[in-house]
Amino acid sequence: MKLDRDPLWNPAQPADVELARLQGLLAPYAARRDRPCPAPQPASLAARRHRPLLRMALAAGAGLVLLLLAGAVQRFWWPADQPWRVQSAAGETRLAPGQHYQASATSEIAVARIGRLQLAPQTRLSLLRTRTGAHRVALEQGRIEARIWAPPGWFGVQLGAAEVIDLGCEFVLQRDADGSGSVEVLSGWIAWRLGDEDRLLPAGYRFDFGPEAVGIALRPDAPAALRAALRDLAASTGTARLTLADRVAHAARDVDAYTLLDLLTREPALADTALYPRLAAALGMAAEDAAHRAAWARGDVAAINAWWAQWPVPPKAWWRHWRDAWA
Amino acid sequence: MLLPWFQGPSAEAVETAEWVLAARQGASWAFERLYRRHLPLVHGILLGRCRAARAEELAQECFALAFAQLTQLREAHKFAGWVAQIARRLAAAERIAPEQGAEWDALPDPAQSPEHAAESARVLQALRRLPEAYRETLILRLVEGLSGPEIAALTGLRPGSVRVNLHRGMARLRAQLGLAQTEHDDEA
């Protein structure tokens, strides 16, 4: 039986008489959805319980901080132009600034001491420069997965005229020979820079790009209706865009909040469409603030930033992804 | 073909991780969303081991504990598996629901006739006698009303495994209740 017609797999499918009867008998035992969410433990209570240990904790904490600082200095410092280590099935080699590397098999490149790149076969890149605080490669074609733990901007990937800048994260970058490709962020954020345009992309999202343009951020599992609506919107002009923007809003789920945020940030005038209240609902914001909506539609930076501040993990909090340091 | 290390966590797991991080900052909306998404999973696990009224109470206790210990969760996107383990530990500390009459699993529903309530309790107790893998999956489907994809997303099981558990569990449940098998039972 096909999955979508299997009533055990898909409750929307008609069930046989017995299955329907069993469901009816068991339904009263389902979790009550009207109970409120339990409150987390108050921080004040936790603080009172731990007060007797405060001095010991402070002393231990000071020692730990010194240790971490020493470790951070060792990790982040890198002599200018020191080659990177490259490992593959063929053995180990070094990649110096100005040199190209083509992976004949899956390979791993150590990005100084701040992370690593995993290269798919046939990936070709070059090392542009490397020193403390500034490590850059150029991806000519292929696929890399980068896992970096360092302050924002310390690592970047040149893609022709564009640049992907790591903000402390893990991401997958694919570039084809014609310069088109995609970038998907697995943790943290990246910034995309092309000329004067800066775009941000958070974990759980990807966008496609061409040699001189980049698409809207989308979740990999975005509904087909949303993708189609965005394609049509990108291709449209004039008043038709207002109707198409409404279509995007109706096709978007709450989890597509960043897609809507990205779109409305790039095209603030679309705040006059259903996109604004749909984004408000997805972020848990009030949609009735007419003054805020009007300000957004004018492109007011303060109004737009007010909703950016609602995003759970801000771009600059790279240190939260500390596990990437031991990838 | 995607190389294994290029595959990231699922979209739901990434979203859950965002909520966990926001909850650690005290965002009440994040606690709410974590609770709503994972309540069926936690309640389903507890219902499979404890009497019905106690499962409701323990579900609330489970989330209160999880939220108080949220900083101990090492990988935010694995919240579902982590809170499920808390639920199982709570259930293990309870006396396992023995075979009892309908009053053991009685729920305050004045609309239910005594005969209907007794039959509901009999079916629930038959579910509890199933092997754990079948029991939890089938409770999520038949009691909590989740679909196969939703069960897979919450439990981390592969969709194929969920389907096997559903069909084989259903076949065993029918056998326990003395019901006829269908041609699709035990289909995997």
Side-chain angles (χ1 to χ4, degrees), chain A residues 1 3 6-9 16 23 25 28-33 35 37 118 143 145 219 255 313 323, chain B residues 2 5-6 11 15 21 32 36 43 56 74 105 107 119-120 141 143-144 148 163 167 174 184:
Chain A
M1 179 191 290
L3 269 183
D6 176 0
L8 270 183
W9 182 258
D16 63 78
Q23 287 174 165
L25 287 170
Y29 291 114
R32 283 178 51 196
R33 308 301 175 103
R35 295 191 72 162
C37 171
Q118 290 196 330
R143 188 184 186 104
E145 180 185 358
R219 299 190 79 93
V255 298
V313 182
R323 293 199 179 278
Chain B
L2 274 178
W5 53 80
F6 284 1
E15 186 177 53
L21 295 175
E32 182 76 23
R36 296 287 163 216
H43 183 263
E56 282 284 346
R74 299 180 65 184
D105 282 311
L107 290 171
E119 183 62 7
S120 297
R141 170 61 185 85
V143 179
E144 306 293 347
R163 189 155 182 260
H167 279 274
R174 287 183 194 266
H184 301 299

Side-chain angles (χ1 to χ4, degrees), chain B residues 102-167:
Chain B
E103 66 280 1
W104 185 260
D105 282 311
L107 290 171
D109 182 0
Q112 268 201 341
S113 68
E115 295 78 17
H116 194 266
E119 183 62 7
S120 297
R122 187 176 82 93
V123 174
L124 179 60
Q125 286 162 15
L127 264 176
R128 291 201 185 104
R129 288 195 292 271
L130 295 178
E132 181 175 333
Y134 300 160
R135 178 175 69 228
E136 285 188 3
T137 309
L138 214 48
I139 284 178
L140 291 177
R141 170 61 185 85
L142 298 181
V143 179
E144 306 293 347
L146 301 184
S147 67
E150 289 170 328
I151 295 171
L154 272 178
T155 61
L157 292 171
R158 295 178 182 274
S161 299
V162 171
R163 189 155 182 260
V164 165
N165 289 347
L166 286 173
H167 279 274

Side-chain angles (χ1 to χ4, degrees), chain A residues 142-157:
Chain A
R143 188 184 186 104
I144 62 173
E145 180 185 358
R147 193 164 190 180
I148 306 293
W149 191 76
W154 280 37
F155 173 76
V157 182

Side-chain angles (χ1 to χ4, degrees), chain A residues 23-305:
Chain A
Q23 287 174 165
L25 287 170
L26 291 169
Y29 291 114
R32 283 178 51 196
R33 308 301 175 103
D34 58 346
R35 295 191 72 162
C37 171
Q41 188 181 32
S44 57
L45 275 176
R48 282 201 288 277
R49 271 202 291 275
H50 294 297
R51 190 170 293 161
L53 300 173
L54 188 56
R55 285 188 186 171
M56 275 171 56
L58 282 175
L64 184 60
V65 165
L66 284 173
L67 202 61
L68 286 173
L69 278 174
V73 168
Q74 193 273 340
R75 181 182 180 88
F76 293 143
W77 181 77
W78 188 257
D81 298 332
Q82 178 161 309
W84 293 358
R85 189 182 74 244
V86 181
Q87 288 181 313
S88 70
E92 185 170 309
T93 184
R94 290 280 187 258
L95 180 65
Q99 290 183 335
H100 296 269
Y101 177 77
Q102 172 142 349
S104 56
T106 53
S107 308
E108 180 168 302
I109 298 179
V111 179
R113 279 191 281 262
I114 63 169
R116 58 127 171 96
L117 303 177
Q118 290 196 330
L119 278 61
Q122 308 313 315
T123 297
R124 182 176 168 84
L125 59 67
S126 55
L127 178 56
L128 299 178
R129 56 184 179 278
T130 180
R131 60 174 171 79
T132 302
H135 307 280
R136 290 292 185 273
V137 299
L139 177 63
E140 293 165 41
Q141 71 174 63
R143 188 184 186 104
I144 62 173
E145 180 185 358
R147 193 164 190 180
I148 306 293
W149 191 76
W154 280 37
F155 173 76
V157 182
Q158 204 80 36
L159 304 163
E163 189 177 21
V164 168
I165 300 168
D166 166 77
L167 301 182
C169 72
E170 184 174 4
F171 61 92
V172 178
L173 186 52
Q174 164 83 38
R175 188 175 190 222
D176 300 328
D178 65 356
S180 65
S182 66
V183 56
E184 180 175 351
V185 180
L186 305 180
S187 82
W189 292 76
I190 60 102
W192 170 277
R193 181 165 293 162
L194 176 61
D196 293 333
E197 185 182 12
D198 274 343
R199 300 276 299 286
L200 293 171
L201 191 67
Y205 286 83
R206 59 171 279 170
F207 51 50
D208 297 328
F209 56 82
E212 293 183 359
V214 61
I216 295 292
L218 271 171
R219 299 190 79 93
D221 67 344
L226 177 59
R227 294 176 187 273
L230 284 167
R231 268 199 307 273
D232 293 345
L233 179 65
S236 66
T237 57
T239 54
R241 307 200 83 232
L242 303 179
T243 307
L244 288 167
D246 286 348
R247 238 181 75 197
V248 171
H250 294 140
R253 309 160 295 176
D254 280 354
V255 298
D256 300 310
Y258 192 81
T259 296
L260 304 177
L261 184 62
D262 190 29
L263 177 56
L264 277 177
T265 301
R266 294 181 71 183
E267 300 195 49
L270 293 178
D272 288 333
T273 68
L275 284 173
Y276 179 92
R278 186 63 189 93
L279 176 58
L283 293 177
M285 305 295 294
E288 306 86 23
D289 188 341
H292 179 266
R293 187 172 187 174
W296 189 307
R298 291 193 306 269
D300 181 83
V301 171
I304 296 173
N305 279 346

Side-chain angles (χ1 to χ4, degrees), chain B residues 10-92:
Chain B
S10 69
E12 286 84 3
V14 170
E15 186 177 53
T16 294
E18 290 172 355
W19 295 347
V20 169
L21 295 175
R24 285 177 180 161
Q25 300 305 306
S28 57
W29 62 265
F31 287 112
E32 182 76 23
R33 291 186 192 183
L34 287 169
Y35 173 72
R36 296 287 163 216
R37 171 170 283 177
H38 298 92
L39 177 60
L41 174 66
V42 166
H43 183 263
I45 288 171
L46 292 165
L47 188 66
R49 293 164 172 80
C50 314
R51 61 190 180 95
R54 190 66 181 134
E56 282 284 346
E57 295 164 2
L58 287 174
Q60 298 298 299
E61 196 176 317
C62 179
F63 280 102
L65 271 173
F67 292 156
Q69 299 169 7
L70 207 50
T71 52
Q72 296 178 22
L73 174 58
R74 299 180 65 184
E75 293 173 278
H77 66 280
K78 293 185 178 178
F79 178 85
W82 179 72
V83 75
Q85 283 304 318
I86 295 176
R88 291 191 184 98
R89 282 201 297 270
L90 284 174

